[in-house]
Amino acid sequence: MSGNIELLSATLAKAKSEDRAALVAYLPAGFPTVDGGIEAVKAVIAGGADVVEVGLPHSDPVLDGAVIQTADDIALRGGVKIADVLRTVREAHAATGAPVLVMTYWNPIDRYGVERFVTELAAAGGAGCILPDLPVQESALWREHADKHGLATVFVVAPSSKDERLATITAAGSGFVYAASLMGVTGTRESVGNEAQELVRRTRATTELPVCVGLGVSNAVQAKEVAGFADGVIVGSAFVKLLLDAPDLPAGLAAVKALAGELAEGVRRG
């Protein structure tokens, strides 16, 4: 089952060939339960997501906002383990055929064992990992094992990254580049959108890899705006919030599937 980086690359290339951005959805494993989380991943793919990132819940998710922190807390109190994260990847990928990555902080992998984690993720049909807090200069061991098993290593770049640093990060990464910015938190949405667009331009100058933007996108209008300059639009908190606010799981699943459909229309750039 290894080699799913090829599926990820083919999926992103297919979106590009259709003159649209890919829709990348994020959902944490184990939320609202392990089984419910697996159903939620299937629902966003059924709604129109091209790629899914499954979050490995962490007790100190420093880069995540309040919504995802709340979901992580629920998952951790429910006793979620790495085995549950891998099961989520395996069952979601097997049911849908879509590329499924894991997004995780480095500490849980380091404790679990790099070679063990990579081997099990590849066996589960995973496409790779997004590692927001692993410095590129400390990533050689991870990349060696990931490459051996055909897994993507997705690094995160930010508007604060200097051009030389961008080149170092993109040269080490594979699959796609995750361009992180925040829409509507600092300054106006227009100016932050411009900042994200500039980050994509600077990143593309260093790599042939697709550049996907995580920007606090929550609706089709914003998705269309980001799709105008990025290869992929990453949406997480908006899906998680629907599950948090839903009266029960079936209502939550229906809501995330519907949002995925709206966003999938948005990324088609009209």
Side-chain angles (χ1 to χ4, degrees):
M1 290 289 280
S2 65
N4 274 339
I5 185 174
E6 289 160 11
L7 173 64
L8 175 65
S9 299
T11 301
L12 294 170
K14 180 174 183 286
K16 186 177 184 180
S17 76
E18 294 169 358
D19 191 34
R20 66 178 178 88
L23 175 59
V24 183
Y26 166 93
L27 287 163
F31 168 76
T33 61
V34 176
D35 288 344
I38 292 167
E39 292 308 312
V41 175
K42 293 180 191 173
V44 294
I45 295 168
D50 299 289
V51 178
V52 176
E53 306 170 3
V54 171
L56 194 159
H58 193 263
S59 54
D60 185 27
V62 289
L63 300 176
D64 293 310
V67 169
I68 290 171
Q69 286 187 20
T70 301
D72 276 8
D73 188 50
I74 290 167
L76 291 166
R77 282 190 281 126
V80 71
K81 302 280 190 291
I82 286 181
D84 299 312
V85 178
L86 294 166
R87 183 187 147 212
T88 301
V89 172
R90 183 170 61 250
E91 294 193 13
H93 172 64
T96 64
V100 183
L101 299 104
V102 169
M103 184 163 188
T104 179
Y105 295 93
W106 180 245
N107 192 36
I109 292 183
D110 197 34
R111 286 210 310 263
Y112 194 76
V114 174
E115 187 169 8
R116 179 186 174 198
F117 184 85
V118 166
T119 302
E120 292 179 9
L121 179 58
C129 246
I130 299 157
L131 300 161
D133 66 339
L134 176 64
V136 170
Q137 61 272 23
E138 294 171 26
S139 67
L141 177 68
W142 164 268
R143 285 187 287 129
E144 177 192 334
H145 288 295
D147 289 350
K148 192 162 66 181
H149 287 277
L151 296 177
T153 298
V154 178
F155 289 113
V156 179
V157 297
S160 57
S161 306
K162 303 280 190 286
D163 289 352
E164 188 181 353
R165 174 92 181 131
L166 284 177
T168 303
I169 293 170
T170 58
S174 56
F176 64 91
V177 182
Y178 189 124
S181 190
L182 289 169
M183 187 178 273
V185 174
T186 49
T188 66
R189 189 168 67 80
E190 184 186 2
S191 68
V192 178
N194 290 343
E195 193 172 51
Q197 190 166 356
E198 177 63 11
L199 174 60
V200 171
R201 187 194 65 74
R202 290 171 51 227
T203 304
R204 280 190 177 141
T206 71
T207 183
E208 296 292 310
L209 290 172
V211 183
C212 300
V213 174
L215 247 181
V217 170
S218 62
N219 60 51
V221 174
Q222 292 170 334
K224 183 175 180 180
E225 182 185 336
V226 177
F229 59 81
D231 299 299
V233 180
I234 301 169
V235 181
S237 296
F239 287 121
V240 176
K241 188 171 190 318
L242 289 175
L243 289 169
L244 278 170
D245 292 348
D248 54 39
L249 181 62
L253 296 177
V256 296
K257 183 179 177 181
L259 177 61
E262 291 166 27
L263 294 166
E265 285 300 306
V267 300
R268 279 165 173 73
R269 302 174 181 151

PDB file of all heavy atoms in Angstrom, residues 22-64:
ATOM      1  N   ALA A  22      -7.484  22.417  -5.768  1.00  0.00           N
ATOM      2  CA  ALA A  22      -7.947  21.242  -5.031  1.00  0.00           C
ATOM      3  C   ALA A  22      -8.550  21.698  -3.705  1.00  0.00           C
ATOM      4  O   ALA A  22      -8.120  22.698  -3.119  1.00  0.00           O
ATOM      5  CB  ALA A  22      -6.779  20.296  -4.776  1.00  0.00           C
ATOM      6  N   LEU A  23      -9.541  20.963  -3.222  1.00  0.00           N
ATOM      7  CA  LEU A  23     -10.105  21.222  -1.901  1.00  0.00           C
ATOM      8  C   LEU A  23      -9.500  20.218  -0.925  1.00  0.00           C
ATOM      9  O   LEU A  23      -9.649  19.006  -1.097  1.00  0.00           O
ATOM     10  CB  LEU A  23     -11.629  21.090  -1.929  1.00  0.00           C
ATOM     11  CG  LEU A  23     -12.336  21.216  -0.566  1.00  0.00           C
ATOM     12  CD1 LEU A  23     -12.042  22.563   0.095  1.00  0.00           C
ATOM     13  CD2 LEU A  23     -13.846  21.011  -0.719  1.00  0.00           C
ATOM     14  N   VAL A  24      -8.802  20.747   0.067  1.00  0.00           N
ATOM     15  CA  VAL A  24      -8.137  19.926   1.081  1.00  0.00           C
ATOM     16  C   VAL A  24      -8.852  20.156   2.411  1.00  0.00           C
ATOM     17  O   VAL A  24      -8.907  21.289   2.904  1.00  0.00           O
ATOM     18  CB  VAL A  24      -6.641  20.304   1.206  1.00  0.00           C
ATOM     19  CG1 VAL A  24      -5.947  19.397   2.213  1.00  0.00           C
ATOM     20  CG2 VAL A  24      -5.948  20.225  -0.157  1.00  0.00           C
ATOM     21  N   ALA A  25      -9.415  19.095   2.972  1.00  0.00           N
ATOM     22  CA  ALA A  25     -10.155  19.211   4.235  1.00  0.00           C
ATOM     23  C   ALA A  25      -9.318  18.673   5.384  1.00  0.00           C
ATOM     24  O   ALA A  25      -8.567  17.708   5.224  1.00  0.00           O
ATOM     25  CB  ALA A  25     -11.468  18.436   4.144  1.00  0.00           C
ATOM     26  N   TYR A  26      -9.463  19.307   6.549  1.00  0.00           N
ATOM     27  CA  TYR A  26      -8.781  18.840   7.760  1.00  0.00           C
ATOM     28  C   TYR A  26      -9.823  18.438   8.803  1.00  0.00           C
ATOM     29  O   TYR A  26     -10.781  19.183   9.052  1.00  0.00           O
ATOM     30  CB  TYR A  26      -7.903  19.955   8.345  1.00  0.00           C
ATOM     31  CG  TYR A  26      -7.426  19.668   9.758  1.00  0.00           C
ATOM     32  CD1 TYR A  26      -6.199  19.052   9.985  1.00  0.00           C
ATOM     33  CD2 TYR A  26      -8.219  19.991  10.857  1.00  0.00           C
ATOM     34  CE1 TYR A  26      -5.781  18.757  11.273  1.00  0.00           C
ATOM     35  CE2 TYR A  26      -7.808  19.696  12.153  1.00  0.00           C
ATOM     36  CZ  TYR A  26      -6.592  19.078  12.350  1.00  0.00           C
ATOM     37  OH  TYR A  26      -6.180  18.781  13.633  1.00  0.00           O
ATOM     38  N   LEU A  27      -9.627  17.271   9.394  1.00  0.00           N
ATOM     39  CA  LEU A  27     -10.468  16.825  10.518  1.00  0.00           C
ATOM     40  C   LEU A  27      -9.587  16.065  11.510  1.00  0.00           C
ATOM     41  O   LEU A  27      -8.736  15.269  11.098  1.00  0.00           O
ATOM     42  CB  LEU A  27     -11.576  15.894  10.023  1.00  0.00           C
ATOM     43  CG  LEU A  27     -12.723  16.549   9.234  1.00  0.00           C
ATOM     44  CD1 LEU A  27     -13.500  15.485   8.478  1.00  0.00           C
ATOM     45  CD2 LEU A  27     -13.641  17.320  10.183  1.00  0.00           C
ATOM     46  N   PRO A  28      -9.786  16.281  12.810  1.00  0.00           N
ATOM     47  CA  PRO A  28      -8.983  15.545  13.786  1.00  0.00           C
ATOM     48  C   PRO A  28      -9.495  14.118  13.968  1.00  0.00           C
ATOM     49  O   PRO A  28     -10.709  13.885  13.962  1.00  0.00           O
ATOM     50  CB  PRO A  28      -9.156  16.344  15.087  1.00  0.00           C
ATOM     51  CG  PRO A  28     -10.265  17.299  14.862  1.00  0.00           C
ATOM     52  CD  PRO A  28     -10.685  17.258  13.429  1.00  0.00           C
ATOM     53  N   ALA A  29      -8.582  13.173  14.144  1.00  0.00           N
ATOM     54  CA  ALA A  29      -8.974  11.800  14.461  1.00  0.00           C
ATOM     55  C   ALA A  29      -9.577  11.752  15.866  1.00  0.00           C
ATOM     56  O   ALA A  29      -9.232  12.555  16.734  1.00  0.00           O
ATOM     57  CB  ALA A  29      -7.766  10.874  14.382  1.00  0.00           C
ATOM     58  N   GLY A  30     -10.505  10.811  16.064  1.00  0.00           N
ATOM     59  CA  GLY A  30     -11.061  10.624  17.397  1.00  0.00           C
ATOM     60  C   GLY A  30     -12.127  11.621  17.794  1.00  0.00           C
ATOM     61  O   GLY A  30     -12.575  11.628  18.937  1.00  0.00           O
ATOM     62  N   PHE A  31     -12.546  12.470  16.842  1.00  0.00           N
ATOM     63  CA  PHE A  31     -13.532  13.505  17.151  1.00  0.00           C
ATOM     64  C   PHE A  31     -14.706  13.408  16.190  1.00  0.00           C
ATOM     65  O   PHE A  31     -14.506  13.367  14.979  1.00  0.00           O
ATOM     66  CB  PHE A  31     -12.901  14.897  17.052  1.00  0.00           C
ATOM     67  CG  PHE A  31     -13.911  16.004  17.072  1.00  0.00           C
ATOM     68  CD1 PHE A  31     -14.513  16.368  18.259  1.00  0.00           C
ATOM     69  CD2 PHE A  31     -14.296  16.644  15.900  1.00  0.00           C
ATOM     70  CE1 PHE A  31     -15.486  17.369  18.277  1.00  0.00           C
ATOM     71  CE2 PHE A  31     -15.258  17.640  15.912  1.00  0.00           C
ATOM     72  CZ  PHE A  31     -15.850  18.003  17.107  1.00  0.00           C
ATOM     73  N   PRO A  32     -15.937  13.352  16.673  1.00  0.00           N
ATOM     74  CA  PRO A  32     -16.317  13.371  18.097  1.00  0.00           C
ATOM     75  C   PRO A  32     -16.007  12.069  18.827  1.00  0.00           C
ATOM     76  O   PRO A  32     -15.902  12.035  20.041  1.00  0.00           O
ATOM     77  CB  PRO A  32     -17.821  13.651  18.058  1.00  0.00           C
ATOM     78  CG  PRO A  32     -18.265  13.197  16.704  1.00  0.00           C
ATOM     79  CD  PRO A  32     -17.108  13.411  15.784  1.00  0.00           C
ATOM     80  N   THR A  33     -15.886  10.968  18.055  1.00  0.00           N
ATOM     81  CA  THR A  33     -15.398   9.673  18.534  1.00  0.00           C
ATOM     82  C   THR A  33     -14.523   9.138  17.417  1.00  0.00           C
ATOM     83  O   THR A  33     -14.470   9.723  16.329  1.00  0.00           O
ATOM     84  CB  THR A  33     -16.569   8.689  18.760  1.00  0.00           C
ATOM     85  OG1 THR A  33     -17.245   8.499  17.490  1.00  0.00           O
ATOM     86  CG2 THR A  33     -17.564   9.205  19.804  1.00  0.00           C
ATOM     87  N   VAL A  34     -13.851   8.012  17.651  1.00  0.00           N
ATOM     88  CA  VAL A  34     -13.031   7.445  16.572  1.00  0.00           C
ATOM     89  C   VAL A  34     -13.917   7.074  15.374  1.00  0.00           C
ATOM     90  O   VAL A  34     -13.639   7.462  14.237  1.00  0.00           O
ATOM     91  CB  VAL A  34     -12.222   6.227  17.062  1.00  0.00           C
ATOM     92  CG1 VAL A  34     -11.445   5.605  15.895  1.00  0.00           C
ATOM     93  CG2 VAL A  34     -11.252   6.647  18.163  1.00  0.00           C
ATOM     94  N   ASP A  35     -15.002   6.339  15.639  1.00  0.00           N
ATOM     95  CA  ASP A  35     -15.898   5.949  14.542  1.00  0.00           C
ATOM     96  C   ASP A  35     -16.534   7.169  13.883  1.00  0.00           C
ATOM     97  O   ASP A  35     -16.656   7.242  12.653  1.00  0.00           O
ATOM     98  CB  ASP A  35     -17.001   5.018  15.061  1.00  0.00           C
ATOM     99  CG  ASP A  35     -16.471   3.629  15.402  1.00  0.00           C
ATOM    100  OD1 ASP A  35     -15.348   3.301  14.971  1.00  0.00           O
ATOM    101  OD2 ASP A  35     -17.179   2.874  16.102  1.00  0.00           O
ATOM    102  N   GLY A  36     -16.952   8.145  14.701  1.00  0.00           N
ATOM    103  CA  GLY A  36     -17.559   9.363  14.164  1.00  0.00           C
ATOM    104  C   GLY A  36     -16.582  10.148  13.315  1.00  0.00           C
ATOM    105  O   GLY A  36     -16.953  10.719  12.275  1.00  0.00           O
ATOM    106  N   GLY A  37     -15.325  10.164  13.724  1.00  0.00           N
ATOM    107  CA  GLY A  37     -14.293  10.864  12.958  1.00  0.00           C
ATOM    108  C   GLY A  37     -14.061  10.232  11.596  1.00  0.00           C
ATOM    109  O   GLY A  37     -13.872  10.933  10.595  1.00  0.00           O
ATOM    110  N   ILE A  38     -14.095   8.893  11.565  1.00  0.00           N
ATOM    111  CA  ILE A  38     -13.936   8.187  10.287  1.00  0.00           C
ATOM    112  C   ILE A  38     -15.103   8.524   9.356  1.00  0.00           C
ATOM    113  O   ILE A  38     -14.903   8.811   8.161  1.00  0.00           O
ATOM    114  CB  ILE A  38     -13.841   6.662  10.519  1.00  0.00           C
ATOM    115  CG1 ILE A  38     -12.528   6.324  11.244  1.00  0.00           C
ATOM    116  CG2 ILE A  38     -13.945   5.893   9.201  1.00  0.00           C
ATOM    117  CD1 ILE A  38     -12.463   4.908  11.802  1.00  0.00           C
ATOM    118  N   GLU A  39     -16.316   8.542   9.904  1.00  0.00           N
ATOM    119  CA  GLU A  39     -17.488   8.888   9.099  1.00  0.00           C
ATOM    120  C   GLU A  39     -17.414  10.337   8.604  1.00  0.00           C
ATOM    121  O   GLU A  39     -17.854  10.646   7.491  1.00  0.00           O
ATOM    122  CB  GLU A  39     -18.776   8.650   9.895  1.00  0.00           C
ATOM    123  CG  GLU A  39     -19.062   7.183  10.186  1.00  0.00           C
ATOM    124  CD  GLU A  39     -19.018   6.303   8.939  1.00  0.00           C
ATOM    125  OE1 GLU A  39     -19.638   6.674   7.922  1.00  0.00           O
ATOM    126  OE2 GLU A  39     -18.346   5.247   8.980  1.00  0.00           O
ATOM    127  N   ALA A  40     -16.856  11.219   9.431  1.00  0.00           N
ATOM    128  CA  ALA A  40     -16.731  12.630   9.032  1.00  0.00           C
ATOM    129  C   ALA A  40     -15.769  12.779   7.854  1.00  0.00           C
ATOM    130  O   ALA A  40     -16.023  13.554   6.923  1.00  0.00           O
ATOM    131  CB  ALA A  40     -16.272  13.476  10.220  1.00  0.00           C
ATOM    132  N   VAL A  41     -14.660  12.029   7.880  1.00  0.00           N
ATOM    133  CA  VAL A  41     -13.716  12.074   6.753  1.00  0.00           C
ATOM    134  C   VAL A  41     -14.402  11.575   5.476  1.00  0.00           C
ATOM    135  O   VAL A  41     -14.295  12.191   4.413  1.00  0.00           O
ATOM    136  CB  VAL A  41     -12.444  11.250   7.050  1.00  0.00           C
ATOM    137  CG1 VAL A  41     -11.539  11.211   5.819  1.00  0.00           C
ATOM    138  CG2 VAL A  41     -11.673  11.839   8.221  1.00  0.00           C
ATOM    139  N   LYS A  42     -15.128  10.484   5.590  1.00  0.00           N
ATOM    140  CA  LYS A  42     -15.855   9.974   4.415  1.00  0.00           C
ATOM    141  C   LYS A  42     -16.864  11.004   3.911  1.00  0.00           C
ATOM    142  O   LYS A  42     -17.058  11.166   2.702  1.00  0.00           O
ATOM    143  CB  LYS A  42     -16.587   8.675   4.772  1.00  0.00           C
ATOM    144  CG  LYS A  42     -15.678   7.488   5.078  1.00  0.00           C
ATOM    145  CD  LYS A  42     -16.566   6.276   5.408  1.00  0.00           C
ATOM    146  CE  LYS A  42     -15.798   5.118   5.982  1.00  0.00           C
ATOM    147  NZ  LYS A  42     -16.731   4.037   6.431  1.00  0.00           N
ATOM    148  N   ALA A  43     -17.509  11.713   4.844  1.00  0.00           N
ATOM    149  CA  ALA A  43     -18.540  12.687   4.461  1.00  0.00           C
ATOM    150  C   ALA A  43     -17.953  13.868   3.692  1.00  0.00           C
ATOM    151  O   ALA A  43     -18.543  14.325   2.706  1.00  0.00           O
ATOM    152  CB  ALA A  43     -19.288  13.182   5.700  1.00  0.00           C
ATOM    153  N   VAL A  44     -16.786  14.378   4.134  1.00  0.00           N
ATOM    154  CA  VAL A  44     -16.216  15.527   3.404  1.00  0.00           C
ATOM    155  C   VAL A  44     -15.736  15.111   2.018  1.00  0.00           C
ATOM    156  O   VAL A  44     -15.837  15.886   1.065  1.00  0.00           O
ATOM    157  CB  VAL A  44     -15.074  16.252   4.169  1.00  0.00           C
ATOM    158  CG1 VAL A  44     -15.582  16.911   5.431  1.00  0.00           C
ATOM    159  CG2 VAL A  44     -13.896  15.355   4.463  1.00  0.00           C
ATOM    160  N   ILE A  45     -15.259  13.871   1.896  1.00  0.00           N
ATOM    161  CA  ILE A  45     -14.848  13.393   0.570  1.00  0.00           C
ATOM    162  C   ILE A  45     -16.076  13.201  -0.322  1.00  0.00           C
ATOM    163  O   ILE A  45     -16.078  13.591  -1.494  1.00  0.00           O
ATOM    164  CB  ILE A  45     -14.017  12.098   0.689  1.00  0.00           C
ATOM    165  CG1 ILE A  45     -12.698  12.384   1.422  1.00  0.00           C
ATOM    166  CG2 ILE A  45     -13.726  11.504  -0.691  1.00  0.00           C
ATOM    167  CD1 ILE A  45     -11.925  11.146   1.847  1.00  0.00           C
ATOM    168  N   ALA A  46     -17.135  12.633   0.249  1.00  0.00           N
ATOM    169  CA  ALA A  46     -18.381  12.472  -0.513  1.00  0.00           C
ATOM    170  C   ALA A  46     -18.926  13.825  -0.956  1.00  0.00           C
ATOM    171  O   ALA A  46     -19.513  13.952  -2.037  1.00  0.00           O
ATOM    172  CB  ALA A  46     -19.420  11.740   0.330  1.00  0.00           C
ATOM    173  N   GLY A  47     -18.710  14.853  -0.140  1.00  0.00           N
ATOM    174  CA  GLY A  47     -19.191  16.189  -0.472  1.00  0.00           C
ATOM    175  C   GLY A  47     -18.383  16.884  -1.551  1.00  0.00           C
ATOM    176  O   GLY A  47     -18.868  17.798  -2.205  1.00  0.00           O
ATOM    177  N   GLY A  48     -17.122  16.464  -1.730  1.00  0.00           N
ATOM    178  CA  GLY A  48     -16.318  17.084  -2.786  1.00  0.00           C
ATOM    179  C   GLY A  48     -14.872  17.379  -2.441  1.00  0.00           C
ATOM    180  O   GLY A  48     -14.137  17.924  -3.270  1.00  0.00           O
ATOM    181  N   ALA A  49     -14.406  17.045  -1.217  1.00  0.00           N
ATOM    182  CA  ALA A  49     -12.987  17.254  -0.892  1.00  0.00           C
ATOM    183  C   ALA A  49     -12.130  16.302  -1.719  1.00  0.00           C
ATOM    184  O   ALA A  49     -12.482  15.136  -1.918  1.00  0.00           O
ATOM    185  CB  ALA A  49     -12.744  17.027   0.590  1.00  0.00           C
ATOM    186  N   ASP A  50     -11.001  16.800  -2.213  1.00  0.00           N
ATOM    187  CA  ASP A  50     -10.080  15.989  -3.010  1.00  0.00           C
ATOM    188  C   ASP A  50      -9.074  15.243  -2.143  1.00  0.00           C
ATOM    189  O   ASP A  50      -8.661  14.129  -2.472  1.00  0.00           O
ATOM    190  CB  ASP A  50      -9.295  16.893  -3.977  1.00  0.00           C
ATOM    191  CG  ASP A  50     -10.197  17.624  -4.947  1.00  0.00           C
ATOM    192  OD1 ASP A  50     -10.745  16.964  -5.849  1.00  0.00           O
ATOM    193  OD2 ASP A  50     -10.373  18.848  -4.795  1.00  0.00           O
ATOM    194  N   VAL A  51      -8.651  15.892  -1.071  1.00  0.00           N
ATOM    195  CA  VAL A  51      -7.598  15.389  -0.183  1.00  0.00           C
ATOM    196  C   VAL A  51      -8.061  15.643   1.247  1.00  0.00           C
ATOM    197  O   VAL A  51      -8.721  16.654   1.501  1.00  0.00           O
ATOM    198  CB  VAL A  51      -6.264  16.143  -0.436  1.00  0.00           C
ATOM    199  CG1 VAL A  51      -5.161  15.666   0.511  1.00  0.00           C
ATOM    200  CG2 VAL A  51      -5.820  16.003  -1.895  1.00  0.00           C
ATOM    201  N   VAL A  52      -7.699  14.751   2.171  1.00  0.00           N
ATOM    202  CA  VAL A  52      -8.028  14.987   3.583  1.00  0.00           C
ATOM    203  C   VAL A  52      -6.776  14.891   4.435  1.00  0.00           C
ATOM    204  O   VAL A  52      -5.934  14.006   4.241  1.00  0.00           O
ATOM    205  CB  VAL A  52      -9.096  13.994   4.098  1.00  0.00           C
ATOM    206  CG1 VAL A  52      -9.341  14.195   5.594  1.00  0.00           C
ATOM    207  CG2 VAL A  52     -10.404  14.176   3.345  1.00  0.00           C
ATOM    208  N   GLU A  53      -6.670  15.824   5.372  1.00  0.00           N
ATOM    209  CA  GLU A  53      -5.640  15.776   6.410  1.00  0.00           C
ATOM    210  C   GLU A  53      -6.324  15.307   7.690  1.00  0.00           C
ATOM    211  O   GLU A  53      -7.286  15.925   8.140  1.00  0.00           O
ATOM    212  CB  GLU A  53      -5.055  17.160   6.676  1.00  0.00           C
ATOM    213  CG  GLU A  53      -4.520  17.882   5.467  1.00  0.00           C
ATOM    214  CD  GLU A  53      -4.196  19.339   5.797  1.00  0.00           C
ATOM    215  OE1 GLU A  53      -4.332  19.744   6.971  1.00  0.00           O
ATOM    216  OE2 GLU A  53      -3.817  20.061   4.869  1.00  0.00           O
ATOM    217  N   VAL A  54      -5.828  14.227   8.264  1.00  0.00           N
ATOM    218  CA  VAL A  54      -6.342  13.731   9.546  1.00  0.00           C
ATOM    219  C   VAL A  54      -5.406  14.222  10.643  1.00  0.00           C
ATOM    220  O   VAL A  54      -4.209  13.916  10.636  1.00  0.00           O
ATOM    221  CB  VAL A  54      -6.419  12.186   9.544  1.00  0.00           C
ATOM    222  CG1 VAL A  54      -6.736  11.662  10.950  1.00  0.00           C
ATOM    223  CG2 VAL A  54      -7.475  11.711   8.556  1.00  0.00           C
ATOM    224  N   GLY A  55      -5.945  14.997  11.572  1.00  0.00           N
ATOM    225  CA  GLY A  55      -5.128  15.542  12.640  1.00  0.00           C
ATOM    226  C   GLY A  55      -4.871  14.515  13.727  1.00  0.00           C
ATOM    227  O   GLY A  55      -5.763  13.765  14.107  1.00  0.00           O
ATOM    228  N   LEU A  56      -3.631  14.468  14.211  1.00  0.00           N
ATOM    229  CA  LEU A  56      -3.284  13.640  15.356  1.00  0.00           C
ATOM    230  C   LEU A  56      -3.422  14.537  16.587  1.00  0.00           C
ATOM    231  O   LEU A  56      -2.615  15.455  16.775  1.00  0.00           O
ATOM    232  CB  LEU A  56      -1.852  13.103  15.205  1.00  0.00           C
ATOM    233  CG  LEU A  56      -1.411  11.972  16.129  1.00  0.00           C
ATOM    234  CD1 LEU A  56      -0.215  11.221  15.540  1.00  0.00           C
ATOM    235  CD2 LEU A  56      -1.047  12.466  17.527  1.00  0.00           C
ATOM    236  N   PRO A  57      -4.467  14.328  17.402  1.00  0.00           N
ATOM    237  CA  PRO A  57      -4.730  15.251  18.513  1.00  0.00           C
ATOM    238  C   PRO A  57      -3.538  15.355  19.474  1.00  0.00           C
ATOM    239  O   PRO A  57      -2.884  14.358  19.790  1.00  0.00           O
ATOM    240  CB  PRO A  57      -5.950  14.628  19.199  1.00  0.00           C
ATOM    241  CG  PRO A  57      -6.648  13.894  18.103  1.00  0.00           C
ATOM    242  CD  PRO A  57      -5.531  13.319  17.275  1.00  0.00           C
ATOM    243  N   HIS A  58      -3.280  16.576  19.903  1.00  0.00           N
ATOM    244  CA  HIS A  58      -2.113  16.870  20.731  1.00  0.00           C
ATOM    245  C   HIS A  58      -2.549  17.728  21.907  1.00  0.00           C
ATOM    246  O   HIS A  58      -3.438  18.572  21.766  1.00  0.00           O
ATOM    247  CB  HIS A  58      -1.067  17.603  19.879  1.00  0.00           C
ATOM    248  CG  HIS A  58       0.283  17.698  20.502  1.00  0.00           C
ATOM    249  ND1 HIS A  58       0.692  18.819  21.178  1.00  0.00           N
ATOM    250  CD2 HIS A  58       1.313  16.821  20.553  1.00  0.00           C
ATOM    251  CE1 HIS A  58       1.939  18.617  21.623  1.00  0.00           C
ATOM    252  NE2 HIS A  58       2.324  17.411  21.251  1.00  0.00           N
ATOM    253  N   SER A  59      -1.907  17.515  23.048  1.00  0.00           N
ATOM    254  CA  SER A  59      -2.326  18.228  24.262  1.00  0.00           C
ATOM    255  C   SER A  59      -1.952  19.715  24.233  1.00  0.00           C
ATOM    256  O   SER A  59      -2.508  20.507  24.978  1.00  0.00           O
ATOM    257  CB  SER A  59      -1.691  17.569  25.492  1.00  0.00           C
ATOM    258  OG  SER A  59      -0.287  17.485  25.316  1.00  0.00           O
ATOM    259  N   ASP A  60      -1.015  20.077  23.357  1.00  0.00           N
ATOM    260  CA  ASP A  60      -0.606  21.484  23.286  1.00  0.00           C
ATOM    261  C   ASP A  60      -0.491  21.907  21.826  1.00  0.00           C
ATOM    262  O   ASP A  60       0.612  22.167  21.322  1.00  0.00           O
ATOM    263  CB  ASP A  60       0.742  21.666  24.015  1.00  0.00           C
ATOM    264  CG  ASP A  60       1.170  23.127  24.079  1.00  0.00           C
ATOM    265  OD1 ASP A  60       0.279  24.005  24.059  1.00  0.00           O
ATOM    266  OD2 ASP A  60       2.385  23.385  24.144  1.00  0.00           O
ATOM    267  N   PRO A  61      -1.647  21.994  21.126  1.00  0.00           N
ATOM    268  CA  PRO A  61      -1.608  22.296  19.688  1.00  0.00           C
ATOM    269  C   PRO A  61      -1.385  23.793  19.439  1.00  0.00           C
ATOM    270  O   PRO A  61      -2.298  24.536  19.116  1.00  0.00           O
ATOM    271  CB  PRO A  61      -2.985  21.838  19.202  1.00  0.00           C
ATOM    272  CG  PRO A  61      -3.872  22.015  20.389  1.00  0.00           C
ATOM    273  CD  PRO A  61      -3.013  21.828  21.613  1.00  0.00           C
ATOM    274  N   VAL A  62      -0.130  24.230  19.588  1.00  0.00           N
ATOM    275  CA  VAL A  62       0.189  25.661  19.623  1.00  0.00           C
ATOM    276  C   VAL A  62      -0.193  26.408  18.354  1.00  0.00           C
ATOM    277  O   VAL A  62      -0.452  27.612  18.395  1.00  0.00           O
ATOM    278  CB  VAL A  62       1.697  25.881  19.907  1.00  0.00           C
ATOM    279  CG1 VAL A  62       2.020  25.528  21.343  1.00  0.00           C
ATOM    280  CG2 VAL A  62       2.564  25.058  18.954  1.00  0.00           C
ATOM    281  N   LEU A  63      -0.228  25.713  17.222  1.00  0.00           N
ATOM    282  CA  LEU A  63      -0.509  26.406  15.966  1.00  0.00           C
ATOM    283  C   LEU A  63      -1.989  26.395  15.596  1.00  0.00           C
ATOM    284  O   LEU A  63      -2.381  26.958  14.592  1.00  0.00           O
ATOM    285  CB  LEU A  63       0.307  25.773  14.829  1.00  0.00           C
ATOM    286  CG  LEU A  63       1.830  25.807  15.009  1.00  0.00           C
ATOM    287  CD1 LEU A  63       2.524  25.080  13.876  1.00  0.00           C
ATOM    288  CD2 LEU A  63       2.339  27.238  15.104  1.00  0.00           C
ATOM    289  N   ASP A  64      -2.810  25.715  16.417  1.00  0.00           N
ATOM    290  CA  ASP A  64      -4.233  25.589  16.093  1.00  0.00           C
ATOM    291  C   ASP A  64      -5.074  26.571  16.896  1.00  0.00           C
ATOM    292  O   ASP A  64      -4.747  26.903  18.036  1.00  0.00           O
ATOM    293  CB  ASP A  64      -4.712  24.160  16.379  1.00  0.00           C
ATOM    294  CG  ASP A  64      -4.083  23.148  15.440  1.00  0.00           C
ATOM    295  OD1 ASP A  64      -4.126  23.393  14.221  1.00  0.00           O
ATOM    296  OD2 ASP A  64      -3.537  22.137  15.916  1.00  0.00           O
TER     297      ASP A  64
END
